[in-house]
Amino acid sequence: MLAFVSSPALAQSQPWLDTSKSPEERAKAAVAAMTIDEKLTLIFGFTDADDLAKQADDIVPAAVKAVVKANQVPGSSGFVPAIPRLKIPAQAQTDASLGVRVEGMQRTALPSSLATAASFDPTVPEAGGRMIASEARLTGFNTFLAGGANLAREPRSGRNFEYVGEDPWLAGKMAAGLINGIQSQHMVSTLKHFAVNDQESQRHSLDVTISPEAMHQSDLLAFEFAYEQSSPGSVMCSYNLINGRWGCENEYLLQKTLKQDWGYKGYVMADWGAVHSTADAANYGLDQFTGFPCCGDRKPWFAPKVFKAAIDKGEISMTRLDDMATRILWPLFSTGAFDDPAKAGPIDFRSNAAVAQKAAEDSLVLLKNDGNLLPLVGVKSVAMIGGHADKGVLAGGGSSAVMPVGGNPVPEADPKVWPDPVIYMPSSPMAALKTELPKAKVSYSSGNDIAAAVALAKSSDVAIVFVTQFMGEGMDSTLELKGDQDALVAAVAAANPKTIVVIESGGAILMPWKDSVPAILEAFYPGIRGGHAIARILSGKVNPSGHLPISFPASDAHLAHADIPGFDQPDGKAVHVTYDEGATIGYKWYDVKGFKPLFAFGHGLSYTTFAVSDTKATVDNGALSVGATLRNTGKVPGKGVVQIYVAPDDYKAAGWEAPKRLVAFHKDLVAPGSAAAAFAQKVDPRLLATYEVADNSWRVKAGTYHVLFGQASDDLPISVDITLPDMIWSAVHN
Ligand code: BGC
């Protein structure tokens, strides 16, 4: 990474060094000083230097390979060489939303993004973003491939754990929180994978059919909220085709929607292996051809001379190349990455682990707690069963998997093929529970022998069964737990009526044993201090406050799609999926169909109780504002979440995809007896509207709407009626 000292004279001859100029002016000035080869340097990104060395010199010049080899952080995800003559730094790119992933390095892993979304508190991912960005900078990176925002349309999708739930407003705010945290540390962050990359099976060849209306009211709305609330420096286009056009040359998504309508100033980078052409990609919106060589990339697309030839033939204009280069530079200036270069240095892993632990403590969701079995008070003996709970907690697989500080305590875990390695975080729930309950006898059984687990459960006051669902990039999963886990829970529950289940999962699972266990804690993938967070919640040191960012379906039969096209088949099949359900995702789908979920979107219990009062919903010139007061009606302090939904009197007449939509939420820490500061929020009008493709507008239909207040999508006891006027406005941002 280049560091430089700017002087007035230098800033005059190289005006992009002048920090008084705007990021746009600086980016344009730098590009104006570049040769065509320097511009081309900016638009090609490379992955592993050793793989790159195997490519022919007439594709990637030997000099470029040498620069990558000499400057890349070995084992990292991507690298774009510097332009030393102009003091333009290299772009050192690291995965991903949960922390720094570099082969051979140990770093701090946040809980999964889905877990963090369950905090219903954007300051949680923001704090996480600051922490992982500080580690990234101290590892020598200035660009983070972090900020997954695809909606959990398909509950079995293998990367839901990297994303932020099923609702556009929640997902947008949570993804923005992470990106804001990262970019506050003078790093570029990435919003990905744009767009409708909602299943992993056959992701390199899947063609998704979805109407523009549905897209704008669902997946694109989440991205739009995240984008405008965080201004990500880069957006990563996705592998799949959307309505017949590859994600990375999708004119509708990249050119029209992102750049023209939303006014995006940063750059579009390709997912690794998602480039399919030279001129079409450049002309339809791709700015940086990243991740070469990877995943079946065709070499010529990454050859500077091929790009030059396309310019010579008039297939790509110089104006477009200048635009690509300007867009790539803009975030380096706007985030401060240019003026404050990253530098490798020592990392405070202890403080960073505390950030990850707090994120988990704010996020784990208590799903069930009959008879207030939890927290565990005065228990003399605890049987901990399964899930390697003696050693650690599970993480998801793929490019977001961080090798934790302290290493993987379960290196033998399967599968041993991509998205391997299966990583457990070295935070043993058992060891942590022993610390929290020093007087209790805490014993462990692996669960491999059900009879032994049952015997241990029978001889203990309480039994805690840990179940796991491994999910990872490039594969989808089933909602059923693998192996004998359901049988194990059923057998233990039959042996000990005080059985608690702790779930470590990528997303939703089915729970055939739900009614036979009194307590269930959803821990998702809780990160590097996940075991500590679980133990502190089980013991009552921490009052749980997470709420589900996804619905848990009661049955496979309730899913919008019976099968995932191409599921469990070798990669490369040309498969197609039609998203007939459109924007009717998650709780919206269950509402329309009248299916009762196992656990509803927004559900989450506490060791105290809350009441929502002083509800307000006012309309001023068509703009809806909502507010409420949260009161702690129980005995211990806790964090409660007010959730506000809007339901048209007649949702079909209003043109909505479903009976209700989440429009606002607010989390607060409240002491018993006192009230949290009353809050008020303006509702984004798009949450009340339909997208009209004919004139690219948003439209609200006049009528009566019910504003619903409560603490979960299935617990909304208060309704305030409002009248909205007819409204229509352009989808183009000002
Ligand atoms: C993933 C991206 C990741 C990239 C670089 C791809 O396989 O889809 O999310 O950023 O690899 O590792």
Side-chain angles (χ1 to χ4, degrees), residues 542-568:
V542 167
N543 192 349
S545 65
H547 288 251
L548 288 180
I550 47 169
S551 311
F552 275 45
S555 148
D556 277 321
H558 293 174
L559 301 182
H561 298 267
D563 301 306
I564 300 177
F567 177 67
D568 241 0

PDB file of all heavy atoms in Angstrom, residues 542-568:
ATOM      1  N   VAL A 542     -27.264 -12.399  30.752  1.00  0.00           N
ATOM      2  CA  VAL A 542     -27.729 -11.527  29.667  1.00  0.00           C
ATOM      3  C   VAL A 542     -29.177 -11.872  29.385  1.00  0.00           C
ATOM      4  O   VAL A 542     -29.540 -13.054  29.321  1.00  0.00           O
ATOM      5  CB  VAL A 542     -26.879 -11.750  28.392  1.00  0.00           C
ATOM      6  CG1 VAL A 542     -27.518 -11.101  27.180  1.00  0.00           C
ATOM      7  CG2 VAL A 542     -25.469 -11.222  28.592  1.00  0.00           C
ATOM      8  N   ASN A 543     -29.982 -10.833  29.244  1.00  0.00           N
ATOM      9  CA  ASN A 543     -31.390 -11.038  28.921  1.00  0.00           C
ATOM     10  C   ASN A 543     -31.531 -11.085  27.403  1.00  0.00           C
ATOM     11  O   ASN A 543     -31.156 -10.127  26.721  1.00  0.00           O
ATOM     12  CB  ASN A 543     -32.200  -9.864  29.500  1.00  0.00           C
ATOM     13  CG  ASN A 543     -33.684 -10.138  29.476  1.00  0.00           C
ATOM     14  OD1 ASN A 543     -34.140 -11.092  28.852  1.00  0.00           O
ATOM     15  ND2 ASN A 543     -34.438  -9.295  30.151  1.00  0.00           N
ATOM     16  N   PRO A 544     -32.051 -12.184  26.840  1.00  0.00           N
ATOM     17  CA  PRO A 544     -32.107 -12.269  25.376  1.00  0.00           C
ATOM     18  C   PRO A 544     -32.992 -11.178  24.781  1.00  0.00           C
ATOM     19  O   PRO A 544     -34.003 -10.803  25.377  1.00  0.00           O
ATOM     20  CB  PRO A 544     -32.704 -13.658  25.117  1.00  0.00           C
ATOM     21  CG  PRO A 544     -33.393 -14.043  26.389  1.00  0.00           C
ATOM     22  CD  PRO A 544     -32.640 -13.354  27.500  1.00  0.00           C
ATOM     23  N   SER A 545     -32.602 -10.699  23.594  1.00  0.00           N
ATOM     24  CA  SER A 545     -33.387  -9.609  22.989  1.00  0.00           C
ATOM     25  C   SER A 545     -33.463  -9.712  21.477  1.00  0.00           C
ATOM     26  O   SER A 545     -33.895  -8.766  20.821  1.00  0.00           O
ATOM     27  CB  SER A 545     -32.791  -8.266  23.394  1.00  0.00           C
ATOM     28  OG  SER A 545     -31.485  -8.123  22.847  1.00  0.00           O
ATOM     29  N   GLY A 546     -33.015 -10.834  20.894  1.00  0.00           N
ATOM     30  CA  GLY A 546     -33.105 -10.989  19.448  1.00  0.00           C
ATOM     31  C   GLY A 546     -34.528 -11.334  19.020  1.00  0.00           C
ATOM     32  O   GLY A 546     -35.313 -11.892  19.797  1.00  0.00           O
ATOM     33  N   HIS A 547     -34.846 -10.962  17.797  1.00  0.00           N
ATOM     34  CA  HIS A 547     -36.148 -11.284  17.193  1.00  0.00           C
ATOM     35  C   HIS A 547     -35.887 -11.851  15.803  1.00  0.00           C
ATOM     36  O   HIS A 547     -34.975 -11.385  15.099  1.00  0.00           O
ATOM     37  CB  HIS A 547     -37.020 -10.030  17.106  1.00  0.00           C
ATOM     38  CG  HIS A 547     -37.530  -9.578  18.447  1.00  0.00           C
ATOM     39  ND1 HIS A 547     -38.842  -9.704  18.816  1.00  0.00           N
ATOM     40  CD2 HIS A 547     -36.879  -9.047  19.512  1.00  0.00           C
ATOM     41  CE1 HIS A 547     -38.996  -9.245  20.059  1.00  0.00           C
ATOM     42  NE2 HIS A 547     -37.815  -8.839  20.497  1.00  0.00           N
ATOM     43  N   LEU A 548     -36.688 -12.798  15.381  1.00  0.00           N
ATOM     44  CA  LEU A 548     -36.380 -13.500  14.134  1.00  0.00           C
ATOM     45  C   LEU A 548     -36.428 -12.570  12.914  1.00  0.00           C
ATOM     46  O   LEU A 548     -37.458 -11.940  12.658  1.00  0.00           O
ATOM     47  CB  LEU A 548     -37.362 -14.651  13.910  1.00  0.00           C
ATOM     48  CG  LEU A 548     -37.207 -15.869  14.820  1.00  0.00           C
ATOM     49  CD1 LEU A 548     -38.262 -16.930  14.478  1.00  0.00           C
ATOM     50  CD2 LEU A 548     -35.803 -16.461  14.713  1.00  0.00           C
ATOM     51  N   PRO A 549     -35.350 -12.564  12.118  1.00  0.00           N
ATOM     52  CA  PRO A 549     -35.352 -11.796  10.879  1.00  0.00           C
ATOM     53  C   PRO A 549     -35.906 -12.597   9.701  1.00  0.00           C
ATOM     54  O   PRO A 549     -35.927 -12.121   8.561  1.00  0.00           O
ATOM     55  CB  PRO A 549     -33.870 -11.479  10.663  1.00  0.00           C
ATOM     56  CG  PRO A 549     -33.140 -12.608  11.326  1.00  0.00           C
ATOM     57  CD  PRO A 549     -34.014 -13.135  12.441  1.00  0.00           C
ATOM     58  N   ILE A 550     -36.281 -13.837   9.986  1.00  0.00           N
ATOM     59  CA  ILE A 550     -36.901 -14.717   8.987  1.00  0.00           C
ATOM     60  C   ILE A 550     -38.030 -15.480   9.683  1.00  0.00           C
ATOM     61  O   ILE A 550     -37.996 -15.667  10.901  1.00  0.00           O
ATOM     62  CB  ILE A 550     -35.904 -15.761   8.417  1.00  0.00           C
ATOM     63  CG1 ILE A 550     -35.137 -16.429   9.575  1.00  0.00           C
ATOM     64  CG2 ILE A 550     -34.954 -15.149   7.411  1.00  0.00           C
ATOM     65  CD1 ILE A 550     -34.326 -17.627   9.173  1.00  0.00           C
ATOM     66  N   SER A 551     -38.990 -15.939   8.888  1.00  0.00           N
ATOM     67  CA  SER A 551     -40.019 -16.824   9.432  1.00  0.00           C
ATOM     68  C   SER A 551     -39.460 -18.234   9.490  1.00  0.00           C
ATOM     69  O   SER A 551     -38.670 -18.629   8.631  1.00  0.00           O
ATOM     70  CB  SER A 551     -41.244 -16.865   8.514  1.00  0.00           C
ATOM     71  OG  SER A 551     -41.649 -15.572   8.170  1.00  0.00           O
ATOM     72  N   PHE A 552     -39.874 -18.994  10.457  1.00  0.00           N
ATOM     73  CA  PHE A 552     -39.563 -20.425  10.483  1.00  0.00           C
ATOM     74  C   PHE A 552     -40.811 -21.165  10.008  1.00  0.00           C
ATOM     75  O   PHE A 552     -41.830 -21.163  10.718  1.00  0.00           O
ATOM     76  CB  PHE A 552     -39.185 -20.867  11.904  1.00  0.00           C
ATOM     77  CG  PHE A 552     -37.738 -20.660  12.246  1.00  0.00           C
ATOM     78  CD1 PHE A 552     -37.092 -19.472  11.929  1.00  0.00           C
ATOM     79  CD2 PHE A 552     -37.000 -21.661  12.873  1.00  0.00           C
ATOM     80  CE1 PHE A 552     -35.749 -19.282  12.243  1.00  0.00           C
ATOM     81  CE2 PHE A 552     -35.659 -21.485  13.196  1.00  0.00           C
ATOM     82  CZ  PHE A 552     -35.033 -20.294  12.886  1.00  0.00           C
ATOM     83  N   PRO A 553     -40.779 -21.762   8.822  1.00  0.00           N
ATOM     84  CA  PRO A 553     -41.973 -22.453   8.340  1.00  0.00           C
ATOM     85  C   PRO A 553     -42.284 -23.699   9.164  1.00  0.00           C
ATOM     86  O   PRO A 553     -41.380 -24.326   9.719  1.00  0.00           O
ATOM     87  CB  PRO A 553     -41.615 -22.826   6.898  1.00  0.00           C
ATOM     88  CG  PRO A 553     -40.139 -22.762   6.828  1.00  0.00           C
ATOM     89  CD  PRO A 553     -39.664 -21.818   7.888  1.00  0.00           C
ATOM     90  N   ALA A 554     -43.561 -24.034   9.221  1.00  0.00           N
ATOM     91  CA  ALA A 554     -43.949 -25.212   9.996  1.00  0.00           C
ATOM     92  C   ALA A 554     -43.709 -26.494   9.207  1.00  0.00           C
ATOM     93  O   ALA A 554     -43.597 -27.576   9.785  1.00  0.00           O
ATOM     94  CB  ALA A 554     -45.416 -25.101  10.390  1.00  0.00           C
ATOM     95  N   SER A 555     -43.645 -26.348   7.878  1.00  0.00           N
ATOM     96  CA  SER A 555     -43.541 -27.558   7.060  1.00  0.00           C
ATOM     97  C   SER A 555     -42.981 -27.192   5.693  1.00  0.00           C
ATOM     98  O   SER A 555     -43.190 -26.075   5.202  1.00  0.00           O
ATOM     99  CB  SER A 555     -44.954 -28.145   6.906  1.00  0.00           C
ATOM    100  OG  SER A 555     -45.107 -28.792   5.680  1.00  0.00           O
ATOM    101  N   ASP A 556     -42.312 -28.156   5.087  1.00  0.00           N
ATOM    102  CA  ASP A 556     -41.840 -27.973   3.702  1.00  0.00           C
ATOM    103  C   ASP A 556     -42.998 -27.630   2.778  1.00  0.00           C
ATOM    104  O   ASP A 556     -42.832 -26.910   1.795  1.00  0.00           O
ATOM    105  CB  ASP A 556     -41.205 -29.281   3.201  1.00  0.00           C
ATOM    106  CG  ASP A 556     -39.753 -29.412   3.640  1.00  0.00           C
ATOM    107  OD1 ASP A 556     -39.051 -28.397   3.637  1.00  0.00           O
ATOM    108  OD2 ASP A 556     -39.343 -30.532   3.986  1.00  0.00           O
ATOM    109  N   ALA A 557     -44.162 -28.175   3.109  1.00  0.00           N
ATOM    110  CA  ALA A 557     -45.327 -27.991   2.235  1.00  0.00           C
ATOM    111  C   ALA A 557     -45.782 -26.529   2.203  1.00  0.00           C
ATOM    112  O   ALA A 557     -46.568 -26.139   1.346  1.00  0.00           O
ATOM    113  CB  ALA A 557     -46.474 -28.884   2.718  1.00  0.00           C
ATOM    114  N   HIS A 558     -45.296 -25.723   3.127  1.00  0.00           N
ATOM    115  CA  HIS A 558     -45.692 -24.314   3.161  1.00  0.00           C
ATOM    116  C   HIS A 558     -44.762 -23.404   2.370  1.00  0.00           C
ATOM    117  O   HIS A 558     -44.975 -22.195   2.319  1.00  0.00           O
ATOM    118  CB  HIS A 558     -45.751 -23.824   4.610  1.00  0.00           C
ATOM    119  CG  HIS A 558     -46.848 -24.461   5.409  1.00  0.00           C
ATOM    120  ND1 HIS A 558     -47.005 -24.263   6.756  1.00  0.00           N
ATOM    121  CD2 HIS A 558     -47.840 -25.313   5.041  1.00  0.00           C
ATOM    122  CE1 HIS A 558     -48.055 -24.953   7.183  1.00  0.00           C
ATOM    123  NE2 HIS A 558     -48.564 -25.613   6.159  1.00  0.00           N
ATOM    124  N   LEU A 559     -43.725 -23.969   1.774  1.00  0.00           N
ATOM    125  CA  LEU A 559     -42.774 -23.121   1.045  1.00  0.00           C
ATOM    126  C   LEU A 559     -43.348 -22.725  -0.308  1.00  0.00           C
ATOM    127  O   LEU A 559     -44.172 -23.441  -0.893  1.00  0.00           O
ATOM    128  CB  LEU A 559     -41.449 -23.860   0.841  1.00  0.00           C
ATOM    129  CG  LEU A 559     -40.734 -24.318   2.118  1.00  0.00           C
ATOM    130  CD1 LEU A 559     -39.409 -24.987   1.770  1.00  0.00           C
ATOM    131  CD2 LEU A 559     -40.506 -23.135   3.058  1.00  0.00           C
ATOM    132  N   ALA A 560     -42.891 -21.593  -0.818  1.00  0.00           N
ATOM    133  CA  ALA A 560     -43.385 -21.120  -2.116  1.00  0.00           C
ATOM    134  C   ALA A 560     -42.947 -22.055  -3.247  1.00  0.00           C
ATOM    135  O   ALA A 560     -43.625 -22.178  -4.262  1.00  0.00           O
ATOM    136  CB  ALA A 560     -42.880 -19.706  -2.367  1.00  0.00           C
ATOM    137  N   HIS A 561     -41.793 -22.698  -3.070  1.00  0.00           N
ATOM    138  CA  HIS A 561     -41.291 -23.606  -4.112  1.00  0.00           C
ATOM    139  C   HIS A 561     -41.045 -24.967  -3.479  1.00  0.00           C
ATOM    140  O   HIS A 561     -40.270 -25.069  -2.514  1.00  0.00           O
ATOM    141  CB  HIS A 561     -39.994 -23.059  -4.711  1.00  0.00           C
ATOM    142  CG  HIS A 561     -40.180 -21.739  -5.379  1.00  0.00           C
ATOM    143  ND1 HIS A 561     -40.452 -21.612  -6.719  1.00  0.00           N
ATOM    144  CD2 HIS A 561     -40.209 -20.484  -4.872  1.00  0.00           C
ATOM    145  CE1 HIS A 561     -40.611 -20.328  -7.008  1.00  0.00           C
ATOM    146  NE2 HIS A 561     -40.470 -19.619  -5.908  1.00  0.00           N
ATOM    147  N   ALA A 562     -41.696 -25.979  -4.035  1.00  0.00           N
ATOM    148  CA  ALA A 562     -41.530 -27.317  -3.466  1.00  0.00           C
ATOM    149  C   ALA A 562     -40.070 -27.742  -3.562  1.00  0.00           C
ATOM    150  O   ALA A 562     -39.497 -28.271  -2.613  1.00  0.00           O
ATOM    151  CB  ALA A 562     -42.421 -28.303  -4.207  1.00  0.00           C
ATOM    152  N   ASP A 563     -39.467 -27.499  -4.725  1.00  0.00           N
ATOM    153  CA  ASP A 563     -38.084 -27.930  -4.945  1.00  0.00           C
ATOM    154  C   ASP A 563     -37.225 -26.743  -5.339  1.00  0.00           C
ATOM    155  O   ASP A 563     -37.726 -25.772  -5.897  1.00  0.00           O
ATOM    156  CB  ASP A 563     -38.015 -28.954  -6.082  1.00  0.00           C
ATOM    157  CG  ASP A 563     -38.866 -30.163  -5.776  1.00  0.00           C
ATOM    158  OD1 ASP A 563     -38.673 -30.746  -4.700  1.00  0.00           O
ATOM    159  OD2 ASP A 563     -39.741 -30.486  -6.602  1.00  0.00           O
ATOM    160  N   ILE A 564     -35.947 -26.891  -5.086  1.00  0.00           N
ATOM    161  CA  ILE A 564     -34.987 -25.895  -5.574  1.00  0.00           C
ATOM    162  C   ILE A 564     -34.421 -26.443  -6.883  1.00  0.00           C
ATOM    163  O   ILE A 564     -33.826 -27.519  -6.879  1.00  0.00           O
ATOM    164  CB  ILE A 564     -33.842 -25.691  -4.560  1.00  0.00           C
ATOM    165  CG1 ILE A 564     -34.411 -25.215  -3.220  1.00  0.00           C
ATOM    166  CG2 ILE A 564     -32.820 -24.720  -5.099  1.00  0.00           C
ATOM    167  CD1 ILE A 564     -33.362 -25.049  -2.135  1.00  0.00           C
ATOM    168  N   PRO A 565     -34.603 -25.730  -7.991  1.00  0.00           N
ATOM    169  CA  PRO A 565     -34.081 -26.259  -9.253  1.00  0.00           C
ATOM    170  C   PRO A 565     -32.572 -26.515  -9.172  1.00  0.00           C
ATOM    171  O   PRO A 565     -31.828 -25.662  -8.698  1.00  0.00           O
ATOM    172  CB  PRO A 565     -34.377 -25.143 -10.270  1.00  0.00           C
ATOM    173  CG  PRO A 565     -35.403 -24.279  -9.632  1.00  0.00           C
ATOM    174  CD  PRO A 565     -35.262 -24.434  -8.151  1.00  0.00           C
ATOM    175  N   GLY A 566     -32.181 -27.697  -9.599  1.00  0.00           N
ATOM    176  CA  GLY A 566     -30.752 -28.033  -9.633  1.00  0.00           C
ATOM    177  C   GLY A 566     -30.170 -28.400  -8.290  1.00  0.00           C
ATOM    178  O   GLY A 566     -28.955 -28.565  -8.158  1.00  0.00           O
ATOM    179  N   PHE A 567     -31.022 -28.566  -7.278  1.00  0.00           N
ATOM    180  CA  PHE A 567     -30.544 -28.866  -5.919  1.00  0.00           C
ATOM    181  C   PHE A 567     -29.775 -30.176  -5.890  1.00  0.00           C
ATOM    182  O   PHE A 567     -30.210 -31.165  -6.481  1.00  0.00           O
ATOM    183  CB  PHE A 567     -31.757 -28.949  -4.973  1.00  0.00           C
ATOM    184  CG  PHE A 567     -31.403 -29.324  -3.554  1.00  0.00           C
ATOM    185  CD1 PHE A 567     -30.667 -28.455  -2.768  1.00  0.00           C
ATOM    186  CD2 PHE A 567     -31.790 -30.540  -3.013  1.00  0.00           C
ATOM    187  CE1 PHE A 567     -30.329 -28.778  -1.452  1.00  0.00           C
ATOM    188  CE2 PHE A 567     -31.464 -30.874  -1.701  1.00  0.00           C
ATOM    189  CZ  PHE A 567     -30.730 -29.995  -0.919  1.00  0.00           C
ATOM    190  N   ASP A 568     -28.642 -30.172  -5.213  1.00  0.00           N
ATOM    191  CA  ASP A 568     -27.861 -31.381  -4.975  1.00  0.00           C
ATOM    192  C   ASP A 568     -27.390 -32.056  -6.251  1.00  0.00           C
ATOM    193  O   ASP A 568     -27.162 -33.260  -6.274  1.00  0.00           O
ATOM    194  CB  ASP A 568     -28.701 -32.383  -4.150  1.00  0.00           C
ATOM    195  CG  ASP A 568     -28.012 -32.664  -2.828  1.00  0.00           C
ATOM    196  OD1 ASP A 568     -26.939 -32.080  -2.600  1.00  0.00           O
ATOM    197  OD2 ASP A 568     -28.543 -33.465  -2.029  1.00  0.00           O
TER     198      ASP A 568
END
